Structure formats: C-alpha cells, structure tokens
Amino acid sequence: MQELRRIVGDAHVLVEDADVIVYEQDGSILQAMPEIVVLPADVTQVSEVIRAARRAGFPIVPRGSGTGLAGGAVPAGGGVVVSLARLNRLLGVDYRNRTAELEPGVINLEVTKGVAKAGFFYAPDPSSQAACSIGGNLANNSGGPHTLAYGVTTNHALGVEVVLHDGSIVWLGGTVPDVPGYDLCGVFVGSEGTLGIVTRAIVRLMRAREDVRTLLAIFDSMDSATQAVVDITAAGIVPAALEMMDKTTIEAVERGAPAGYPRDAEAVLLLEVEGVREYTERALRMAHEVCTRAGARQVRAARDEQERQALWKGRKGAFGALGTLAPNYYVMDGVVPRSKLPQTMRAVAEIAEQYQVRIANVFHAGDGNLHPNILFDIRVPGALDRVIEAGAAILRACVAVGGSLTGEHGIGLEKRDYMEWLFSKDDLEAMTRVRLAFDPQRAFNPGKIFPTPVSCGEVRRAPARIPEGLWI
Amino acid sequence: MSVASDQLIDRLTSELGTDSVITDRATLEAHAVDGLVPRAVCSPGDAAQVAAAIRVCGEAGAAIAPRGGGTAVALGNVPHRVDVVLRTDRLAALVEHDDANLTATMEAGMTLAHLQTHLAQRGQLLPLDPPRPDRATIGGIVAASTNGARRMFYGGVRDLVIGMKMVLPGGEQVKAGGKVVKNVAGYDMCKLFVGSLGTLGIITEVTCKMTPLPERALTIIARDGGSTAEGSGAFRLIDALFASTLQPSAIAVLSPRAGELVRAGGPGVATAVAVEGFTEAVDRHVRDITGMAAAAGLSAEVLEGPAHERLWAAVADFPRSREGEALVRLTVPPGAVATAVDALSRVDDSPVYVAHAGAGTIWIGVEAARAATVFAALTSVAGAQHGHAVLASAPPEVKRGLDVWGSPPPALSIMREIKQRFDPQQLLNPGRFVAFL
C-alpha cells in the first residue's frame, strides 16, 4: 500500500469501503469488493503499480469505465483494481493515414467528436459509447449498431502498447498492418484484461460517408421481420445498421419515451445505409421492397436529419424505457447465423413461456446478435434465479444452431461456466497456452473467461445501476 | 534423434494408406522447400489423418512443412529441417455455404478459384486476391495471410476469417471462432493462426465472411504517359480520391515496367482504380474519378469486362515468385506510399513495383543478385515511415544470409513463448518464421 501511494500519490489509492464500493460492480449484475483501487496517471506508473502488486502477490483487475456487461471488471478474487481512467489523452490524429493514437481512458464518443469536423469517425460504436472507454472496448472487442458494415474493434485496432505481468512494456502490432510475426494485437483485443493492460493504442479512423439514409419498417409478426433481415442480407444490401425491436420493447418505448411506433406492431426494423448518394438511394429502395415483400405493414423513410433522429429515438431510448415495464432487466448477448434468426426468435419466445418470464428483444439483427432482455423484479424471491436459468436456456439455443455465447459483451464472470458448451477441453487448453505465454501466473483478471470449478464465494448478484442516458 | 526414414515412411503409410504417402524422387524434389528435399510427401484425407500424421512425425522427431497449393512456399526463412511435406490437397471440400448468412466453410485445401466458381453461382464471392487463385488454397492463403489490393474496401484475411479448425503439433484437433460474424467468446484464436505460416498448427478448415457479387465492376486506369516525375500525377489523383467520400474497392499504382508485366499498356506510371457495386454508384465513381485524373494531368480510360478482370488478375499475380528474381513487400501507412515510391527510385534506377495504394502495401520485384542490398535499403525506407519490409521471395542462397522478416519484432519473447507452448518439439516449419522461430 505504501508503495502504491508512493507511485501514484495518496489521492489515487483507495482502500476505504466507502471509496472502493464504486468499483465493486460493472454493468452486469455481479459484485465483489476490491481490496485496493489504484488510479495511475501514465504508463510508467501502470508498470510500477503492476510490479508492486505482483511483489505483494495481489491479482490485478484492469478497469476502464465499468460499463461492461459480463462482470469482466468485477474483482472476483479480490486484488488490486487498476483504473485506467486517468490515462485519458487523445495523443494524436493522423488524417492522412487515417489513424488516431490514444490512451485507454479516452471515452469512445470523444474520438469521433474529436475528428468529426475533419470529416472522419471512429467506427465501433458500442451503445454505451458516451461512457465506455477505448481500453475497455479493446479488452472486450466491442461492437455496436454500426459494426455491421464496418466491423468490430479488432478490425480497427492496428497496435497496442501493453504492460505485462512483470511490468515490462511492449508494443503489439504497430502503425501499419501485417507486422511480421504472430498477430498479437489481434490476440490481445478481446482478451478481457487477462493478458495485460493497454496503455496506448493506434486505431483506424474512417472517412465520413457522403450520405446516410434511414428507414423504419413495421411488422405484424416477428417471423416476417426476421425473414426480412435474412432477405436483406441475401439481396446483397450491406446496411450500416439493421436493428430490431419487438412488441414488448415497443410498449416500453411508447410508455417511456414515445417515438411514434404503433403499439400493436409485433416488431419494428430500423435500417440505415451509408455511402455515396447513388448507393444509398438504391439500397434504400431495395430495402423498402424487401421489407414490403416480407410483409411489412408500413415502411417509413426519414426525409431529413430530424426525421432520422426521430426514428432512432425509440431505439436509443429502448433500454432506459424497459424500466416502465419492470424494475430490473437482465441483458443477454447471444449470436446466431443470420439464416437462423427466425427459428431462434421463436425459440426465445418459447423459453419465455417455459420459464414464465417476460422478454423484451432489442438487438443488432443484421449481425445475428440478439439482446433478449429478461424483465424481472429482484425483490421477488427466486425471480433472479429463474431469470438466469432462462438466460442460460437462450444461450444454449444459440449454440445449438451454430451460434455463440456472446457477440459483443464478453464472457467475463457471467458466462465462463458456459464456455464448455462451445469449446472442447482441447480448444480451451489452446487458449490457456496463449494465456500463459503472456501471463504465466494468471496475475491478470483471474477467474474470467475460463470455466472454473471453484465458485467465487465473494461474488454477489445485484442489479446494475446503468447510468442515465446510456443505451445498449 | 529422428528415426530412420524407412520406419517413418512405414508408419505414415500405415496411418494414411499407401497412395497417400509418396516417396519417389521426382515428387520429393518438386516439394522441396528452399532446396531442402523432404523424405516423404503425404496427403491426409481428413483432419483425423492430419492428426495421425502429426503424431507419427512427432514420435519420430520429423519436421513437417505444411503445404497448400505451394504458391507461398518461397515465403519465410530457410527452414532448419524439412522431413515431411504435409499437403492439404485431399481436404478440398466445401463444408457449408450458408448463403443467407453470407458465410462459407471450406476445407483448407480447396483452391480459391474453385470456391469462387461455386460462390458465383449463388451471387457471392470471397474478396481475396492472392497470386494464382487456381492453385492457392484457402488454408494457404490464411496461413500466409495473403492480401491483395481490395483489402482497402473489404478488409484483409484477418478481417474475413471468422472460424477455423486446426490440428496442433500434439495431434489435438481444435477449433477457433465459429460461423457467426460477431463473436467474442474466449480469445480470438483465429488471429493467432492467420499469418502464422504453419508454425503453430495445421489449418484443416476455415469459415469466412462472403460478400455479394457486385452488380457492376470496372476499372478507371489513369496514365501519366511518362510525363511527370516518378508517379507524382498518380499520387495527386490518389490524394484527391482520399480527400473525397468516394469508395473505390482497390487502387494499384504500377511502375512503367510493372505496367508492361501486367499488360496495363502505355508508357509511364499507371494508376488503376477498381470500382464495384450498384450500377448508379459505379457510374458516379467513373464520372468523379475521371475528372480527378484530368485535374491531376493524367489521361483516363475505363476498362470493363474481360479487360478489367485481366488487369486485376495480373495485379494479384504480380507478387508471385519468379525464377531468378526476388520480391520485397513494403508496408507503410497509406499516406506514405508516395514517399516510399519516391525513395524506391533512389534504390533502383528503374524499379518494378505494384503499390496497393489504399492498403499501403508495395510489392517490388528485384534481381536476385541485388536482392540483399535492395532489401536492406528498403528496410530503411520502411523504417523511416514506421512501416516494415519483408523479403517475400528469394533464392535460398540469398535468404541464408539474413532474416527475411527484417529485424525481430518488439514482442518476440511472447512469440517465442507461444511457439514453445504450441510446438515444443519444433516440428512445424522450424526456423521459417520471424527471428527463425
């Protein structure tokens, strides 16, 4: 402790319960109290903190903004939580080469805000982008609604500077792709803080598109809505975003933050295309036809930016509005091949019935990335357990059709015991080799990702306090 | 140490069958890697046989060189040893094309051309452009991470691969990723294997994202007629393109001599811009890019149909190894391609290069006799732009004196540790990868 204080200064080492309680939880329902929270200011301090923590035998739990939804930043085994919030400088922007160099604590949305005037944007846009950090995005390989056309975080990360378990500082990747050797930047992104701590990153910027068009299609059945998604993909349209909301979500939106969605509709589909004007006009026309053919009751295209914002308003307000239906909700993050969307949505509906839970679906349909939100009231005894069982059943259904446990939220603590549904012992053993090559003592974020027979006695469950204004 | 050849061959034969283990002189010599002739060439028929072959080699301490179509066999350092060449040619089936999901799963030995033929019937394609697609296999393209000019628009191999199956040096059959386009369950093991050049395991199956066949595709080719200094007109055009909101799918700058090689005709530096997509969007690009070319002092011509296809096939084919020649791959930030090309002309009087200007990759053909000198000079050129240079192909006698991958990467110790944990016996392509891993 004294050493940590010497490294970062008294003010940046927290140990009192009242101080560290803020760091006991992320956006998931899992909680565990950290022993110590440290807030280093630069890479040298991060390195020294890690050395000191390891000398004392403490595990290290890296933390960005704490918006993660799988318990990845929850210190399940105690130890030192290293917050990267103070490493928050945008170090440089190179428009000619379309890259930005930044520290991990930079907030995602700040990147695009910083480069928008010059006609650029940073593509990965997790719905928590107003609060989540680039370091957290790198750790979780975060996605977002617009990653359908542009790819997730790993497709935009060229290089990362990381601090390893022994405090050494090393670059993985670089300022250009194809750096000779194994693609360790690619391996590191999405490793959920189990391999080291990012202290600097070089990410790609994209040129803003000439035109954006948005349409909203209203369906009388979930089946025709999901069929429209399959048909849009098959027709060769690659939308920038393709989002879906079901009847329960529509009800919540119209109660909470009305967006003019018809309350009797079974599903609404929000589609956005970006590119040169000639492309967007044609793609929008085609999407309109596909939706109509699939049985859309009505298709509305935004005529201007104001109408576009109005169409998005419901989607962005959806998660917040769920509070009008139930005090708590549990966000799932399954993903399936897009061809299996219709049958998977039917399976989700059956699971809701079987487990007697209410589910609001709002998700990235174009990627096949489901977000079934299971609504509940934590004060009802046994409710949370039933919700977790229903969630597990949904993920099993995703895996059964060739899908995955998580599209963008990560495994963390929440789903580590489900990993064996997807991976064999040998598959996991191969991952472990990578883990140990970076971190032979499992100093970083122990108990995450990998299934573990030992249950963490210190982990508690409680609903997350998702800050105002965030959407998922 | 290793057991006698006879015993190794007997055991491979008993696992794979007589027809799948070949030991005649001509075949062995045709499968030499940098002049090292293997003792056996085997072609397992499925992943289980790949695992069996690896186990046999492991017990015998025999080094394996995995091989797809052999189009990237010149890439990498001269291996320490080559005992067995393990071909994937019998793993050539299309496992699944889920066209509504825009994904396909192929066995590793399927050639790209074969896959494209199938996909085209369903209105899709895999947007990768390696040399010799008639021979290049999916597994080989992934293992060597062979990227082409369309990377700027569609992404590279690492972006398009979403799942894989591989056999590890201990014979374990494992998988990575899956068939969903978004997946963060566990480590992204696909990234580890893309570009690992068969040094960690043998890839037996790959799942990739597909893309719809474009409604229309054509090329605007702009030439300076030899009137400007080395490529300056070309880079004025490219600057204008980058400043615009246009979205070409590929940009290639061809030096005069490369232009002859790829039959892009005409004197001087040529800039080829490929545009793909909906007809009206393509037409818009033609109008705008033709105007930009004129403003840059270039004459522009539109190539369509077979002429367009021939040009890009030749551009893709440019980085194939040629007898008596060496090939350097220079990677720099896209905005530094002009500077790098300019520096090239100081290294070589009349350089032969094809620059994928949108991706920042420049392929340079060099006479074998000058390869080591030119590679050293180009390494400095790349370094000055925070990029890197790789001697992608050269005769073994040139390669022996250097590390074709350039100076060791900063994270070499982790790479060494990974190699050690996956392949402690040094069975797979020993010595061929960075820093002779």
Side-chain angles (χ1 to χ4, degrees):
Chain A
M1 192 95 66
Q2 259 170 7
E3 235 197 303
L4 291 176
R5 288 201 167 112
R6 180 190 59 75
I7 298 165
V8 299
D10 287 353
H12 302 296
V13 179
L14 312 177
V15 286
E16 298 302 328
D17 278 3
D19 295 324
V20 301
I21 196 165
V22 185
Y23 297 86
E24 71 167 351
Q25 190 164 18
D26 56 10
S28 72
I29 58 168
L30 305 162
Q31 301 176 333
M33 280 292 265
E35 292 169 78
I36 306 172
V37 177
V38 192
L39 295 98
D42 57 33
V43 60
T44 313
Q45 290 189 3
V46 172
S47 166
E48 286 183 37
V49 163
I50 287 173
R51 275 181 228 262
R54 292 311 297 150
R55 268 197 302 273
F58 281 100
I60 296 150
V61 180
R63 184 180 176 100
S65 296
T67 55
L69 293 163
V74 174
V80 177
V81 170
V82 179
S83 163
L84 283 308
R86 292 174 68 212
L87 280 78
N88 60 357
R89 292 175 302 165
L90 186 55
L91 298 167
V93 176
D94 182 346
Y95 291 119
R96 197 171 159 74
N97 293 311
R98 300 186 174 182
T99 58
E101 185 165 355
L102 29 78
E103 291 186 327
V106 172
I107 300 304
N108 174 298
L109 192 58
E110 295 301 317
V111 185
T112 291
K113 276 190 181 165
V115 301
K117 273 212 181 83
F120 288 85
F121 68 106
Y122 176 62
D125 59 341
S127 309
S128 55
Q129 70 177 158
C132 66
S133 69
I134 292 294
N137 293 172
L138 289 163
N140 289 290
N141 192 12
S142 304
H146 287 85
T147 54
L148 173 55
Y150 303 132
V152 293
T153 301
T154 193
N155 307 112
H156 299 271
L158 284 168
V160 286
E161 178 193 70
V162 301
V163 180
L164 302 174
H165 71 100
D166 58 357
S168 59
I169 301 161
V170 67
W171 269 96
L172 314 177
T175 50
V176 296
D178 303 335
V179 174
Y182 300 127
D183 181 1
L184 296 186
C185 177
V187 171
F188 195 94
V189 173
S191 61
E192 301 194 34
T194 61
L195 301 179
I197 289 186
V198 177
T199 47
R200 192 182 274 238
I202 296 174
V203 299
R204 290 179 201 274
L205 299 176
M206 294 187 89
R207 184 77 172 85
R209 304 312 189 204
E210 180 178 279
D211 191 33
V212 183
R213 297 295 187 93
T214 307
L215 70 71
L216 184 83
I218 296 155
F219 291 88
D220 289 329
S221 90
M222 178 53 87
D223 258 8
S224 25
T226 48
Q227 192 55 47
V229 172
V230 174
D231 294 346
I232 285 166
T233 308
I237 306 166
V238 184
L242 186 54
E243 302 282 307
M244 177 105 79
M245 281 160 284
D246 71 353
K247 186 173 191 167
T248 309
T249 310
I250 294 168
E251 185 192 328
V253 166
E254 291 306 312
R255 279 194 197 190
Y261 301 157
R263 282 193 187 216
D264 60 339
E266 283 295 325
V268 295
L269 196 60
L270 189 62
L271 171 141
E272 192 151 275
V273 289
E274 297 187 355
V276 296
R277 212 160 284 116
E278 290 78 1
Y279 167 81
T280 54
E281 276 169 17
R282 170 75 180 281
L284 200 75
R285 204 163 62 234
M286 283 174 70
H288 198 299
E289 284 162 16
V290 168
C291 289
T292 306
R293 233 184 359 256
R297 175 209 296 185
Q298 193 196 353
V299 182
R300 302 177 190 163
R303 277 164 303 187
D304 54 33
E305 182 57 24
Q306 201 184 341
E307 285 191 15
R308 179 175 164 258
Q309 291 301 340
L311 293 185
W312 271 100
K313 185 185 168 206
R315 170 65 183 87
K316 294 194 176 187
F319 278 78
L322 293 178
T324 62
L325 301 182
N328 306 104
Y329 61 88
Y330 184 44
V331 193
M332 304 307 298
D333 177 41
V335 51
V336 295
R338 292 164 282 201
S339 48
K340 308 286 191 208
L341 261 182
Q343 76 184 74
T344 309
M345 293 315 296
R346 286 194 289 271
V348 169
E350 283 160 20
I351 289 165
E353 198 153 313
Q354 190 189 337
Y355 288 86
Q356 292 292 299
V357 288
R358 197 162 180 216
I359 296 179
N361 289 288
V362 40
F363 59 101
H364 312 304
D367 292 316
N369 189 184
L370 315 181
H371 290 323
N373 298 285
I374 311 177
L375 307 174
F376 68 107
D377 183 345
I378 197 152
R379 293 163 301 188
V380 176
L384 182 57
D385 290 337
R386 206 166 68 241
V387 163
I388 288 170
E389 280 169 31
I394 290 172
L395 295 181
R396 268 193 196 279
C398 290
V399 171
V401 296
S404 176
L405 298 170
T406 170
E408 55 183 11
H409 295 172
I411 295 292
L413 272 179
E414 182 193 49
K415 293 182 285 278
R416 62 180 183 183
D417 293 329
Y418 306 163
M419 283 287 274
E420 283 162 342
W421 302 349
L422 204 54
F423 296 110
S424 72
K425 260 197 170 59
D426 283 344
D427 299 341
L428 292 169
E429 160 63 22
M431 289 184 201
T432 303
R433 291 178 193 179
V434 172
R435 166 71 183 267
L436 297 179
F438 275 89
D439 179 16
Q441 294 164 342
R442 295 181 168 90
F444 285 108
N445 223 359
K448 309 294 163 65
I449 299 181
F450 295 95
T452 158
V454 191
S455 65
C456 287
E458 291 308 305
V459 180
R460 298 179 309 277
R461 285 168 174 161
R465 299 168 291 258
I466 295 185
E468 277 297 306
L470 287 196
W471 56 292
I472 296 157
Chain B
M1 289 310 285
S2 64
V3 296
S5 284
D6 286 355
Q7 206 180 331
L8 171 66
I9 289 155
D10 284 351
R11 289 168 63 190
L12 281 173
T13 308
S14 78
E15 291 288 351
L16 308 183
T18 324
D19 295 345
S20 304
V21 183
I22 303 169
T23 55
D24 71 84
R25 201 69 217 158
T27 303
L28 296 183
E29 280 172 7
H31 288 79
V33 181
D34 290 324
L36 301 178
V37 179
R39 293 191 271 159
V41 173
C42 64
S43 299
D46 56 28
Q49 286 200 346
V50 173
I54 288 194
R55 281 200 197 93
V56 167
C57 291
E59 285 159 19
I64 304 169
R67 180 178 170 119
T71 55
V73 74
L75 180 61
N77 289 311
V78 179
H80 296 324
R81 295 172 290 135
V82 176
D83 296 307
V84 174
V85 167
L86 192 149
R87 296 184 48 136
T88 56
D89 57 329
R90 288 177 63 214
L91 301 165
L94 178 68
V95 179
E96 183 193 31
H97 178 205
D98 185 347
D99 56 352
N101 189 38
L102 278 175
T103 60
T105 302
M106 296 73 63
E107 286 189 326
M110 184 178 218
T111 64
L112 183 63
H114 186 184
L115 174 66
Q116 303 289 33
T117 306
H118 169 87
L119 294 173
Q121 291 163 1
R122 315 269 284 270
Q124 295 181 7
L125 85 138
L126 175 59
L128 290 173
D129 313 293
R132 302 296 310 265
D134 56 323
R135 281 175 50 198
T137 61
I138 298 299
I141 292 165
V142 170
S145 188
T146 314
N147 289 294
R150 281 192 291 183
R151 179 184 199 161
M152 65 177 290
F153 185 73
Y154 291 107
V157 176
R158 80 191 285 279
D159 304 302
L160 296 170
V161 171
I162 56 172
M164 253 187 223
K165 286 187 180 168
M166 33 303 183
V167 179
L168 302 183
E172 306 92 337
Q173 297 181 46
V174 300
K175 70 163 185 304
K179 52 172 283 188
V180 287
V181 296
K182 219 168 160 191
N183 191 354
V184 295
Y187 297 152
D188 190 349
M189 298 292 281
C190 292
K191 297 286 185 295
L192 183 62
F193 278 77
V194 169
S196 64
L197 205 69
T199 59
L200 297 177
I202 294 177
I203 298 167
T204 56
E205 205 176 284
V206 179
T207 303
C208 290
K209 294 199 261 190
M210 304 292 134
T211 196
L213 267 181
E215 186 174 272
R216 186 154 187 226
L218 52 74
T219 302
I220 299 111
I221 188 156
R223 298 189 183 87
D224 68 0
S227 62
T228 63
E230 187 66 36
S232 62
F235 290 105
R236 277 201 301 277
L237 166 60
I238 290 166
D239 282 348
L241 261 174
F242 275 13
S244 75
T245 52
L246 298 180
Q247 296 173 268
S249 56
I251 306 172
V253 180
L254 318 171
S255 72
R257 283 173 58 204
E260 289 162 28
L261 274 176
V262 306
R263 291 170 297 174
V269 173
T271 308
V273 183
V275 185
E276 304 177 347
F278 291 144
T279 304
E280 45 275 66
V282 170
D283 290 344
R284 155 79 185 282
H285 279 81
V286 170
R287 282 195 307 276
D288 285 11
I289 295 169
T290 309
M292 288 173 184
L298 306 172
S299 66
E301 184 192 346
V302 173
L303 304 181
E304 288 192 77
H308 158 78
E309 280 161 27
R310 267 201 309 274
L311 171 72
W312 291 101
V315 167
D317 215 28
F318 179 80
R320 79 185 152 87
S321 42
R322 295 177 178 81
E323 196 68 29
E325 276 184 27
L327 198 62
V328 177
R329 188 192 76 190
L330 202 62
T331 310
V332 295
V337 171
T339 314
V341 163
D342 193 45
L344 268 185
S345 53
R346 286 193 290 278
V347 174
D348 202 328
D349 291 342
S350 174
V352 186
Y353 66 84
V354 170
H356 302 165
T361 309
I362 310 167
W363 291 96
I364 304 134
V366 188
E367 278 170 54
R370 300 189 58 231
T373 322
V374 172
F375 177 52
L378 293 179
T379 301
S380 319
V381 169
Q385 307 298 329
H386 305 288
H388 50 80
V390 170
L391 182 58
S393 159
E397 59 274 17
V398 175
K399 292 211 258 179
R400 279 184 206 283
L402 42 82
D403 184 336
V404 302
W405 303 99
S407 47
L412 180 62
S413 62
I414 304 173
M415 293 181 194
R416 228 187 260 292
E417 194 64 37
I418 287 177
K419 171 71 176 175
Q420 176 62 26
R421 286 176 189 273
F422 276 83
D423 186 15
Q425 268 188 282
Q426 298 280 313
L427 289 181
L428 292 176
N429 269 339
R432 208 168 151 189
F433 206 44
V434 282
F436 309 98
L437 274 185

